[in-house]
């Protein structure tokens, strides 16, 4: 009934739950049991009933199985009971056997323990040997490191340290001694770095001290490479010297000596050729660079090296204050700089990155600017052309040396052109002194020669050509004085000196020709011209000397074409070339001649003034002496002798001097008559003065200098002659009547001049009458003459006033 009353789905559900309980893990039974309570009412009771039924079924199955195996169990128990007796016997036997084995194995156990201990010791020894074999290379390498440190093989020591750190220390890092070694390596590295930097500092100090020796060697080597090109111009100079009018033998001997000296130096230099490596030990730099490379601090080292070298560069570029005084000062300056940059160039090529081309170029540009400024400043103090020439040669060698190492030197050659101008200035100053000495030593008289040998000596020094002189018998005289050939020789010496500076400047023959001509023009137009003008103005130079100077300048002017040929032979540049500069000798000597001529006129007038100052007229004399004054005759004799000297002058110069002298004499005599301090003149004095003027006119008519036409020279005294004639003839009526007429007899007499002189004569007559007043009543003619004079004076005053009003 109970089963029939169950719902239609209740029984299968309970079966499923029971299967889950039997098959599911006990941890999951809870949800299954919970589902029993969640079903229909009374489902729990029905499930319990179902569960009891299931349990009973299992119990029945267990009972069946037990009944099935019970006989086998009973049989097994029976067998066990039989075996127990045998097991006891076996136990006794096993116990006895175990006792006997224990007694017998005691010695084996002892021996086995010994064997175990030996095996452990052997294993430990093997382990120790293995560990020692592992440590020994480390210790050997560390010992090697110590030896390398002691031998100062620092780069190798650093490599050893790297091996220790990378290869050996990792194998034994667990040992304490290894830790001590590892801790000691940084200190060793610092020691190596400090030692290498100390060596580097010593190296830098050493090359600073020996840079001049390095530079000197480098410059010698550069000079040896240029020996052949330097010798060629000197050979050419010897060739050119044979064609010159200068004393060729001396030049050839000098050039031969220079060539011999050059070749001897070349032979000596070829004996031993040193390089920068021979003079400097660069190993400190290499070591220091390698050490810092290994240490990974290469950039710090590069910066330190470059900083220190820049400091040294500034020290090297700083010149001594007295460098300009001797060539050794310049040589030391250049060799130090060359040594510095030779070292830098070597460092550039043998190391990688320590210095770069950009760095050396920057350093060189900085140095070059400083060098040019220093040379420009110090060379300005040089007054000796030989020193300037030595400086130029040093600059050329300096530039060629550094150019060979790849440094640009164009600015140095530009500087040489500035120094060339200064060199020319020093040459001009030197030759100014030479010219002054020549002029001081000259006797200003024609050169006498007594035989053919002396004649040839003169023409070998100076290119003089005069067929008339050649035909004259010995003894004879050249028209110029000794200074002319000496000046000509010195001008050629100047050209040679100027040429020396142009050597090795890498300039064409055309440029050298232009330089020589321009410098020679400066010598002629400035130096020689200035010396001539100063000579002409010197007080002790007399008229004779001035005449000789004019003659000398004429011959020097004619010799300029030979100087042009001389330069052409040196440079092989034809004078017909379009841009060839001409020598300005014509204008130079023309100016000097004009100055000398003017000085002749001035000194001649001064001499005339000296004679005139000796005049001692008695302006109150009643009667003339009947002859000319002594001072005037001396003056005329002096003029005659002077004008005899003027025969060697160009005709116009002598004529101009003669005319100037006569005009000045006439003016001086006129001023003597019209002197304001002279208050009165007697007629006797006028007559005496007339005698002197007559002598002057006779001198003028005697043609003291040939070339005057007619009475041209006498016209210098025409003013005096007409004035004196007016007083001597007393022809006042004619003068007053014809005044202003072109055909007047007294056309040159100025009314003012006539009035002044007439007033003085009038006062003189008054004074004479006062002295003779006792007989005044018996001299009616004198009284009439005074009245006439007063009348003439009134008329002259009216003429003078009329002239002033007209003006």
């Amino acid at each position: 009934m109970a089963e029939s009353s169950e719902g239609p789905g209740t029984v299968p559900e309970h079966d499923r739950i029971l299967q889950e309980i039997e098959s599911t893990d006990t941890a999951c039974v809870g949800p299954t049991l919970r589902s029993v309570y969640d079903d229909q009412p009374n489902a729990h009771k029905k499930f319990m009933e179902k569960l009891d039924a299931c349990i009973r079924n299992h119990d029945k199955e267990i009972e069946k199985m037990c009944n099935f195996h019970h006989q086998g169990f009973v049989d097994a128990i029976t067998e066990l009971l039989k075996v127990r007796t045998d097991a006891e016997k076996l136990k006794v036997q096993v116990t006895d056997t175990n006792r006997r084995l224990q007694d017998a194995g005691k010695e084996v156990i002892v021996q086995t323990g010994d064997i175990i201990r030996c095996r452990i010791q052997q294993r430990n020894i093997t382990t120790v040997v293995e560990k020692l074999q592992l440590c020994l290379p480390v210790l050997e390498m560390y010992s090697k490191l110590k030896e390398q440190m002691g031998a100062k093989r620092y780069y190798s020591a650093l490599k050893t340290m790297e091996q220790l750190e990378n290869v050996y220390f990792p194998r034994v890092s667990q040992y304490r001694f290894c830790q001590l070694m590892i801790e000691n390596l940084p200190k060793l590295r610092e020691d190596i770095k400090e030692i290498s930097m100390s060596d580097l500092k010593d190296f830098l100090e050493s090359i600073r001290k020996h840079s001049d020796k390095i530079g000197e060697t480098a410059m010698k080597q550069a000079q040896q490479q240029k020996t052949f090109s330097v010798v060629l111009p000197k050979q050419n100079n010897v060739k050119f010297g044979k064609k010159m009018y200068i004393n060729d033998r001396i030049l050839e001997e000098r050039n031969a000596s220079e060539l011999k000296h050059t070749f001897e130096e070349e032979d000596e230099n070829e004996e031993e050729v040193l390089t920068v490596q021979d003079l400097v030990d660069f190993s400190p730099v290499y070591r220091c660079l390698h050490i810092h490379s290994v240490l990974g601090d290469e950039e710090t080292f590069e910066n330190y090296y470059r900083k220190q070298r820049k400091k040294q560069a500034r020290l090297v570029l700083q010149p001594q204050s007295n460098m300009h005084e001797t060539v050794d000062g310049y040589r030391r300056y250049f060799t130090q700089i060359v040594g510095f940059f030779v070292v830098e160039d070597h460092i550039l090529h043998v190391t990688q990155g320590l210095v770069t081309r950009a760095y050396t170029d920057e350093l060189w540009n900085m140095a070059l600017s400083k060098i040019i400024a220093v040379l420009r400043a110090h060379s300005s103090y040089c007054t000796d052309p030989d020193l300037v020439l030595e400086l130029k040669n040093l600059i050329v060698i300096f530039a060629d040396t550094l150019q060979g190492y790849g440094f640009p030197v164009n600015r140095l050659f530009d500087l040489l052109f500035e120094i060339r101008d200064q060199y020319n200035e020093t040459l001009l100053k030197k030759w100014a002194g030479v010219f002054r000495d020549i002029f001081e030593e000259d006797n200003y008289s024609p050169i006498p020669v007594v035989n053919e040998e002396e004649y040839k000596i003169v023409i070998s020094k100076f290119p003089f050509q005069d067929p008339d002189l050649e035909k004259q018998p010995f003894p004879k005289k050249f028209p110029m004085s000794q200074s002319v050939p000496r000046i000509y020789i010195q001008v050629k010496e100047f050209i040679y000196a100027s040429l020396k500076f142009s050597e090795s400047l890498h300039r064409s023959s055309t440029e050298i020709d232009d330089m020589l001509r321009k410098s020679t023009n400066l010598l002629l137009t400035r130096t020689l011209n200035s010396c001539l003008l100063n000579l002409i103005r010197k007080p002790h130079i007399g008229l004779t000397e001035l005449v000789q100077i004019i003659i000398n300048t004429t011959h020097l002017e004619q010799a300029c074409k030979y100087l042009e040929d001389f330069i052409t032979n040196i440079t092989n540049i034809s004078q017909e070339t379009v841009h060839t500069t001409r020598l300005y000798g014509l204008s130079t000597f023309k100016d000097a001649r004009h100055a000398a001529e003017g000085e002749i006129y001035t000194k001649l007038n001064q001499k005339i003034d000296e004679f005139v100052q000796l005049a001692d007229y008695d302006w109150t004399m009643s009667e003339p002496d009947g002859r000319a004054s002594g001072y005037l005759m001396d003056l005329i004799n002096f003029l005659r002798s002077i004008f005899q000297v003027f025969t060697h002058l160009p005709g116009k110069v002598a004529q101009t001097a003669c005319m100037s002298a006569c005009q000045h004499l006439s003016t001086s005599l006129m001023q003597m008559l019209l002197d304001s301090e002279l208050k009165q003149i007697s007629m006797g004095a006028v007559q005496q003065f007339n005698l002197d003027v007559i002598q002057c006119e006779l001198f003028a008519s005697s043609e003291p200098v040939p070339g005057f036409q007619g009475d041209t020279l006498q016209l210098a005294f025409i003013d005096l002659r007409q004035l004196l004639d007016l007083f001597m003839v007393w022809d006042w009526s004619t003068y007053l009547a014809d005044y202003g007429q072109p055909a007047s007899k007294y056309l040159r007499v100025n009314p003012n001049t006539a009035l002044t002189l007439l007033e003085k004569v009038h006062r003189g007559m008054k004074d004479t009458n006062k002295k003779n007043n006792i007989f005044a009543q018996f001299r009616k003619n004198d009284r009439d003459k005074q009245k006439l004079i007063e009348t003439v004076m009134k008329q002259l005053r009216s003429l003078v006033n009329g002239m002033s009003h007209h003006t």
Side-chain angles (χ1 to χ4, degrees):
M1 289 293 291
E3 293 178 359
S4 61
S5 62
E6 292 176 357
T10 303
V11 175
E13 181 64 21
H14 289 168
D15 291 338
R16 183 188 65 76
I17 292 171
L18 288 174
Q19 289 178 0
E20 285 185 8
I21 292 171
E22 290 177 356
S23 61
T24 306
D25 192 5
T26 57
C28 301
V29 173
T32 304
L33 293 178
R34 191 180 297 111
S35 66
V36 174
Y37 294 93
D38 292 340
D39 289 337
Q40 299 174 1
N42 298 322
H44 174 263
K45 184 177 179 181
K46 293 176 180 180
F47 176 73
M48 291 302 294
E49 292 176 354
K50 190 70 177 178
L51 180 62
D52 289 338
C54 183
I55 292 171
R56 286 192 296 271
N57 291 331
H58 285 298
D59 287 340
K60 291 178 180 179
E61 291 179 357
I62 292 170
E63 186 177 356
K64 288 178 180 181
M65 187 175 292
C66 289
N67 290 330
F68 178 77
H69 292 291
H70 182 269
Q71 187 60 42
F73 177 73
V74 171
D75 292 339
I77 293 299
T78 302
E79 288 293 328
L80 285 173
L81 291 174
K82 292 178 180 179
V83 171
R84 183 174 63 182
T85 304
D86 295 334
E88 290 177 354
K89 291 179 181 179
L90 179 61
K91 180 180 178 181
V92 172
Q93 292 177 355
V94 169
T95 302
D96 184 56
T97 302
N98 180 54
R99 181 181 52 80
R100 291 197 302 272
L101 286 173
Q102 290 294 333
D103 292 339
K106 287 181 180 179
E107 184 177 356
V108 175
I109 291 171
V110 173
Q111 291 179 354
T112 302
D114 293 340
I115 290 173
I116 290 172
R117 285 193 298 271
C118 288
R119 291 287 176 85
I120 291 173
Q121 290 177 356
Q122 185 179 9
R123 186 173 65 249
N124 291 340
I125 290 172
T126 302
T127 302
V128 170
V129 170
E130 290 176 355
K131 297 301 182 183
L132 286 176
Q133 288 176 346
L134 192 63
C135 293
L136 277 177
V138 178
L139 296 174
E140 288 175 355
M141 290 297 290
Y142 196 80
S143 176
K144 180 181 178 181
L145 172 63
K146 288 294 186 180
E147 291 177 359
Q148 290 170 340
M149 291 290 291
K152 298 182 178 181
R153 296 165 53 199
Y154 301 117
Y155 179 72
S156 300
L158 289 173
K159 289 296 185 182
T160 302
M161 289 183 193
E162 284 187 353
Q163 290 181 343
L164 284 171
E165 288 178 329
N166 298 328
V167 178
Y168 294 97
F169 282 165
R171 300 174 183 174
V172 295
S173 59
Q174 67 273 22
Y175 301 113
R176 191 166 60 88
F177 77 89
C178 180
Q179 295 299 323
L180 294 177
M181 290 180 181
I182 292 174
E183 293 173 0
N184 195 35
L185 288 186
K187 182 178 181 300
L188 291 177
R189 283 193 174 94
E190 288 299 321
D191 292 343
I192 290 174
K193 184 185 291 187
E194 292 178 2
I195 293 171
S196 65
M197 291 302 290
S198 177
D199 291 344
L200 177 65
K201 291 177 182 178
D202 294 340
F203 167 78
L204 293 175
E205 181 65 20
S206 174
I207 61 175
R208 187 186 69 82
K209 292 180 179 179
H210 298 91
S211 59
D212 54 345
K213 181 66 176 176
I214 300 169
E216 182 180 356
T217 302
M219 291 174 72
K220 283 182 178 179
Q221 292 174 2
Q223 195 171 11
Q224 288 174 11
Q225 295 174 359
K226 290 192 62 179
T227 300
F228 183 71
S229 60
V230 170
V231 169
L232 280 180
K234 293 183 178 180
Q235 292 175 331
N236 292 335
N237 286 344
V238 173
K239 177 185 70 176
F240 296 142
K242 296 177 181 178
K243 300 180 181 180
M244 300 300 112
Y245 286 99
I246 200 167
N247 36 350
D248 304 320
R249 182 178 58 83
I250 296 175
L251 283 177
E252 291 174 4
E253 290 177 357
R254 181 178 66 185
N255 288 319
S257 175
E258 290 177 354
L259 288 175
K260 181 180 179 182
H261 180 67
T262 301
F263 286 123
E264 287 177 354
E265 284 186 349
E266 183 179 358
D267 293 338
E268 292 175 359
N269 292 333
E270 286 177 353
E271 293 177 1
E272 181 180 4
V273 179
L274 298 177
T275 63
V276 65
Q277 294 91 335
D278 299 324
L279 299 173
V280 181
D281 179 16
F282 287 93
S283 57
V285 181
Y286 306 149
R287 284 197 303 269
C288 202
L289 177 60
H290 293 158
I291 287 169
H292 282 77
S293 299
V294 173
L295 294 175
D297 201 14
E298 187 174 0
E299 184 177 354
T300 302
F301 171 70
E302 291 174 2
N303 293 335
Y304 175 80
Y305 176 84
R306 294 180 184 183
K307 182 179 179 181
Q308 294 300 316
R309 288 297 280 166
K310 283 184 178 180
K311 288 182 179 179
Q312 289 188 346
R314 294 187 183 96
L315 292 176
V316 167
L317 294 171
Q318 189 65 32
Q320 296 181 353
S321 58
N322 61 342
M323 183 179 72
H324 60 275
E325 295 178 358
T326 62
V327 69
D328 290 335
Y330 287 108
R331 183 180 290 109
R332 192 178 304 109
Y333 182 69
F334 285 127
T335 54
Q336 288 179 349
I337 296 174
V338 170
F340 177 90
F341 282 100
V342 167
V343 170
E344 289 304 288
D345 182 78
H346 182 76
I347 294 294
L348 172 67
H349 287 90
V350 299
T351 61
Q352 294 181 353
L354 181 55
V355 295
T356 62
R357 175 57 67 183
Y359 161 78
T360 54
D361 289 343
E362 178 187 358
L363 195 61
W364 169 244
N365 290 330
M366 180 272 291
L368 188 58
S369 299
K370 179 67 175 178
I371 292 167
I372 290 174
V374 167
L375 292 178
R376 187 177 286 127
H378 281 263
S379 63
S380 62
Y381 297 109
C382 294
T383 57
D384 182 8
D386 294 332
L387 179 58
V388 178
L389 185 61
E390 290 285 350
L391 173 59
K392 168 258 174 182
N393 292 331
L394 284 175
I395 293 176
V396 170
I397 298 173
F398 172 76
D400 290 340
T401 303
L402 290 175
Q403 191 176 32
Y405 286 92
F407 295 100
V409 294
N410 292 335
R411 292 173 62 190
L412 285 174
F413 284 100
D414 294 338
L415 174 66
L416 282 174
F417 285 102
E418 297 180 24
I419 298 178
R420 180 199 64 191
D421 296 335
Q422 181 184 346
Y423 175 71
N424 286 336
E425 289 297 325
T426 58
L427 284 182
L428 293 175
K429 290 179 182 178
K430 178 180 179 180
W431 258 259
V434 171
F435 290 150
R436 284 194 296 269
D437 293 341
I438 290 175
F439 290 141
E440 288 293 334
E441 296 168 4
D442 195 11
N443 57 8
Y444 297 100
S445 59
I447 302 174
V449 289
V450 297
N451 52 43
E452 185 71 22
E453 182 179 357
E454 291 183 0
Y455 182 85
K456 290 181 178 179
I457 290 175
V458 174
I459 62 174
S460 68
K461 296 178 179 179
F462 183 75
F464 179 81
Q465 297 177 356
D466 187 356
D468 295 335
L469 183 63
E470 292 178 3
K471 296 175 183 178
Q472 293 179 11
F474 292 100
K476 51 188 174 184
K477 293 182 180 182
F478 286 92
M480 65 278 188
S481 64
Q482 288 286 354
S483 63
V484 172
R486 292 182 64 187
I487 288 174
Y488 182 79
I489 291 174
Q490 287 303 321
V491 171
K492 297 177 78 171
E493 287 291 339
F494 175 87
I495 295 173
Y496 271 123
S498 182
L499 176 64
K500 287 182 179 179
F501 196 92
S502 302
E503 294 175 350
S504 304
L505 289 186
H506 311 299
R507 295 294 166 178
S508 64
S509 299
T510 303
E511 291 175 305
I512 294 175
D513 182 85
D514 188 60
M515 293 178 195
L516 291 180
R517 292 179 184 274
K518 287 182 178 179
S519 59
T520 307
N521 276 330
L522 283 176
L523 179 71
L524 296 176
T525 59
R526 198 170 76 185
T527 304
L528 182 54
N529 188 40
S530 177
C531 290
L532 282 170
L533 294 177
N534 291 334
L535 173 68
I536 290 168
R537 297 189 185 103
K538 286 186 176 181
H540 70 275
I541 297 296
L543 292 169
T544 305
E545 289 82 359
L546 289 171
V547 171
Q548 188 61 54
I549 289 172
I550 292 176
I551 297 171
N552 290 349
T553 55
T554 302
H555 290 285
L556 286 173
E557 178 184 331
Q558 295 171 355
C560 284
K561 62 179 181 179
Y562 296 100
L563 291 176
E564 290 188 337
D565 294 339
F566 178 75
I567 296 175
T568 299
N569 288 331
I570 291 176
T571 61
N572 290 327
I573 300 298
S574 174
Q575 298 181 35
E576 283 72 25
T577 305
V578 176
H579 300 290
T580 300
T581 305
R582 309 293 297 184
L583 295 185
Y584 301 146
L586 179 62
S587 60
T588 298
F589 299 115
K590 186 177 181 181
D591 294 341
R593 272 200 306 278
H594 287 333
E597 292 168 6
E599 198 67 21
I600 285 177
Y601 307 149
T602 302
K603 287 186 179 295
L604 193 56
N605 293 342
Q606 289 175 352
K607 200 67 178 178
I608 291 173
D609 291 338
E610 292 175 7
F611 278 99
V612 171
Q613 288 174 3
L614 298 176
D616 187 18
Y617 286 102
D618 181 7
W619 299 109
T620 61
M621 65 170 59
S622 57
E623 295 294 336
D625 293 337
R627 63 180 183 275
S629 302
Y631 85 92
L632 188 66
M633 297 307 298
D634 293 339
L635 172 59
I636 290 174
N637 291 332
F638 166 76
L639 292 176
R640 290 186 188 278
S641 62
I642 285 297
F643 292 145
Q644 286 294 326
V645 178
F646 285 7
T647 55
H648 297 291
L649 289 176
K652 290 184 179 180
V653 177
Q655 293 171 12
T656 303
C658 186
M659 177 60 75
S660 174
C662 291
Q663 289 177 344
H664 185 72
L665 177 57
S666 175
T667 303
S668 299
L669 293 174
M670 181 69 78
Q671 290 175 350
M672 189 184 303
L673 284 177
L674 304 178
D675 188 2
S676 59
E677 295 182 1
L678 180 60
K679 303 300 181 182
Q680 59 183 21
I681 301 175
S682 66
M683 285 304 298
V686 172
Q687 294 171 1
Q688 180 63 44
F689 201 83
N690 184 56
L691 291 176
D692 291 344
V693 174
I694 291 173
Q695 288 298 323
C696 293
E697 292 172 332
L698 290 175
F699 168 73
S701 62
S702 65
E703 197 175 6
V705 172
F708 286 106
Q709 296 181 356
D711 55 355
T712 302
L713 190 58
Q714 298 179 45
L715 293 177
F717 301 97
I718 189 64
D719 292 354
L720 271 176
R721 170 49 48 214
Q722 291 186 7
L723 180 62
L724 290 175
D725 284 349
L726 184 59
F727 280 86
M728 296 300 297
V729 181
W730 209 254
D731 194 8
W732 290 103
S733 58
T734 304
Y735 173 74
L736 293 172
D738 296 342
Y739 176 74
Q741 300 297 324
S744 174
K745 181 180 178 181
Y746 305 101
L747 181 63
R748 308 283 298 184
V749 178
N750 187 284
N752 196 14
T753 303
L755 176 61
T756 302
L757 184 57
L758 186 57
E759 288 175 345
K760 294 181 180 184
V761 172
H762 183 221
R763 283 193 290 270
M765 294 178 67
K766 282 185 176 181
D767 186 66
T768 303
N769 291 338
K770 286 181 181 179
K771 293 178 181 179
N772 301 322
N773 57 4
I774 299 174
F775 306 100
Q777 67 268 20
F778 302 107
R779 295 185 178 179
K780 183 176 181 298
N781 292 334
D782 291 340
R783 290 198 302 272
D784 294 340
K785 194 172 186 178
Q786 286 185 10
K787 290 180 181 180
L788 177 60
I789 291 173
E790 291 174 357
T791 302
V792 172
M793 288 170 59
K794 290 180 182 180
Q795 294 178 352
L796 289 173
R797 287 191 186 98
S798 64
L799 287 176
V800 171
N801 293 333
M803 289 174 59
S804 61
H805 290 156
H806 178 71
T807 303

